[in-house]
Every structure is written in C-alpha cells, then in structure tokens.
Amino acid sequence: MRSVIVADSEAMRPDARAWFRGRTTSASSLAAIDVEALLAAKRRSGTGVSVVLPARDEEETVGRLVADIAERWMHRDRLVDELVVVDSDSTDATAAVARAAGADVVATADVLPAHGTRPGKGEALWKSLAATTGDVVVFLDSDLQGDVGHFVPGLLGPLLADPQVQYVKGCYTRPLEIDGVSVPSGGGRVTELTARPLLNALWPELAGFVQPLGGEYAGRRSALERVPFAGAYGVEVGLLVDLLELVGLGALAQVDLGERRHTSQSQEALGAMAGQVVATVLARAGSSLDAAGLLTQFRHDGTAFVPRSTAVALDERPPMLTVPEYRARAAGLAG
Ligand SMILES: O=c1ccn([C@@H]2O[C@H](COP(=O)(O)OP(=O)(O)O)[C@@H](O)[C@H]2O)c(=O)[nH]1
Ligand SMILES: O=C(O)[C@@H](COP(=O)(O)O)O[C@H]1O[C@H](CO)[C@@H](O)[C@H](O)[C@H]1O
C-alpha cells in the first residue's frame, strides 16, 4: 500500500498535535539552559533530585558520564543531590569504575533482596526507586557518547518549571554507528520499526513522542512509584503507556536534547529487544495472545539455518508503592 504523506498541518490527531506543540521544549545545549533559574526553582520548591544510571557491562563509558555529572551538577552547581549507578549483573569493572568516578553504586541483587533479583534493565530501574530518595528521578543510559552535560538540566527543566508535569522524555536525533562507520541518522531502530507503529496504532495520543523508547527521561517519584515496571527492555514503553493512563497526556512532556549517540547493539540483539517491547505492548493492549513466550531467530552456519530462541515473556514488577519495605523506608525518611 503506497504511503500517503500527510501535510504537517494535518499531521497527528488533534490531541497529539496540540500536545506536541504545547509540551515540547528545547534544551539542545548548555547555552540554551538557564541554570540559575533551574537552581532557584529547585531551591524554591525544595525538590530533591536523584540521577540513576542503569549499567550492565559499561566500564568503557560509565566513568566519564558519572564524573561529568558529579563535577557539573553536584560539585559546581548543586542541581543533583544523589547520583546512583545500578550495577545490573555486570561482568566487567563497571561498579569499580563508577564508584571511582564519584557515583554511589548498588547491585540490583542487593536492593530489596527479599524480592529476589531478575535480569534486565527494567529490574534495575525498578530497584533504583528503592535505592534513591529524590522527589524527582532522572534516568540516563550508561553507554552515552559525546557531550551530554546538558541532558540532566534539560530533563529537569519542565519538571522544575511546571508542577503539573509528572514525566519528561528526552528526544534527539540518533546517528547510528555500525562497525565503526557512523551515519547521521538511522539509530532508534526498534523505535522506528516496532514501537512507533504499535503506539500510533494503539495509543495515537502518544504519536507526538519523538523518542518513546529513549533511555533518557525524568519523573516525579510520586508517579513512578505508582506504576509497574516492565522487565528487561519493555520498561520504557511500559512506563509511557502506564503513565499516560495514570497522569494523562497533559502531565507528560518531552525536551529536545539535540543529538544522542550510544553504543549500538546488533540487529539480532535488537530483535530480542523488539520482542520484549511487543510483549509489553500486547499485555497493555489487553491482548489475549500468548505474548509471554519465546522469540525464535535464525543464524546460518554456512550449511543450514540454526534456530535460536530468547525469552520475551512479560515479566514485570508491581508499583513500588505496594512493596512494604519501600513504604516503611519512605515513612522513615519522612520522619
Ligand atoms: O540488563 C540490562 C540491560 C541494559 N542495561 C542498561 O540499560 C541501558 C540501555 O541498554 P542498552 O545500551 O543495552 O540498550 P540500547 O541503548 O542499545 O537500546 C544501558 O545503560 C545498559 O547498560 C541494564 O542496566 N541492564
Ligand atoms: O530506541 C531504540 O530503538 C533502541 C535501539 O536504538 P539503536 O537502534 O541501537 O540506536 O534504543 C532504546 O530502546 C531501549 C528499549 O526501550 C531502551 O532501553 C534504550 O535506552 C534506548 O536506547
């Protein structure tokens, strides 16, 4: 079927178009950010800010990110109160590198040990709520490359400026580097080939999100603790759909952070990621399909195709506020 390009004036449903125009701001460099105003808003509101980096085998990149955030936003300007790297079953020196660079480091398995531990990014992010105290939590991937010093203030801007805003996603252009060759676009493969078509079909009010799967976002703890966290790579799409339902489109926002480069995975790995995104979406769309299954992919060994299956079962954690140890800790912190 030939695709028909719809003129900009008619693009998106009216609610998505209004949201895109009203809730998209820009912070594509430090020069575009009024840091003093952010610091004043933080002081005025008494907002505590935690930054969380989920990290699995990121020893090459996590140290620079942590050192930059610590120096700029904890020591020079006190925009961040807490910087935590969640070591997600790393097999390299991620934890040591992050600690030496100035982060508090917790192992996923050591947080809420009575609830066990599961593999995946979603688990690391869910447990980060029990390992941090900020009123606002900022999430950044640990494999970011290039100058991302403006990401933290950029994500905080909408939250510190408007109490109605509950959750902010970064958006950016996404160059893609494969085997050392970088092209200016093409990143966000699961977003473009899986998440965006599904979200547009099932939740068209979310069509204005440029990077629905992006790994850089910030939210108020009071919202984040009330939604489940899908396991593994379903976490971003699950949070977006669940927060839409909890707080409504008007409480969501996005900020243009310019360009985002990161360590890219193989197509096969992203196929498994897409399987986890699909399983999460189907579950939230109320599908009775058996989405909780296996994804079988194929390699060719020179003679024949060899099947290889990975679990894409929907494995999620409940809203953190339902966890007794978390509530007791929050009560203790509230004094
Ligand atoms: O089991 C996992 C898988 C990933 N990650 C982290 O989640 C972020 C995004 O993961 P990845 O880079 O693998 O995804 P991509 O950005 O390639 O889509 C990175 O900081 C990873 O270290 C994690 O903490 N636990
Ligand atoms: O946006 C995407 O399509 C994927 C893959 O990006 P690339 O094709 O490797 O640039 O990356 C994101 O998706 C993951 C699942 O939601 C997130 O966990 C990652 O942080 C994010 O980079």
Side-chain angles (χ1 to χ4, degrees), residues 53-58 61-62 65 86-90 94 108 118-125 140-144 174 188-190 213 215-216 232-233 235-236 260 262-266 269-270 273:
L53 281 73
R56 181 185 65 180
D57 295 338
E58 303 291 7
T61 50
V62 71
L65 292 169
V86 181
D87 179 10
S88 177
D89 310 315
S90 295
T94 291
T108 307
R118 302 172 185 173
K121 181 183 183 183
E123 177 80 353
L125 296 186
L140 300 178
D141 281 359
S142 305
D143 65 342
L144 295 175
R174 297 187 68 171
R189 289 161 287 175
V190 176
L213 297 190
E216 289 66 46
Y233 289 116
V235 62
E236 277 84 14
R260 185 233 201 196
H262 70 132
T263 313
S264 296
Q265 299 187 67
S266 68
L270 294 191
M273 176 188 290

Side-chain angles (χ1 to χ4, degrees), residues 44 62 82 129 185 192 247 319:
R44 216 171 25 249
V62 71
E82 187 176 47
L129 293 183
S185 65
E192 301 307 335
V247 302

Side-chain angles (χ1 to χ4, degrees), residues 11 21 25 44 47 63 81 83 86 88 92 161 166 171-172 213 232-233 249 259-260 262 271 280 293 305 319 335:
R21 289 172 176 167
T25 51
R44 216 171 25 249
T47 302
D81 303 294
L83 174 54
V86 181
S88 177
D92 66 3
Q166 300 292 315
C171 62
Y172 19 64
L213 297 190
Y233 289 116
L249 186 62
E259 178 184 274
R260 185 233 201 196
H262 70 132
T280 303
F305 286 103

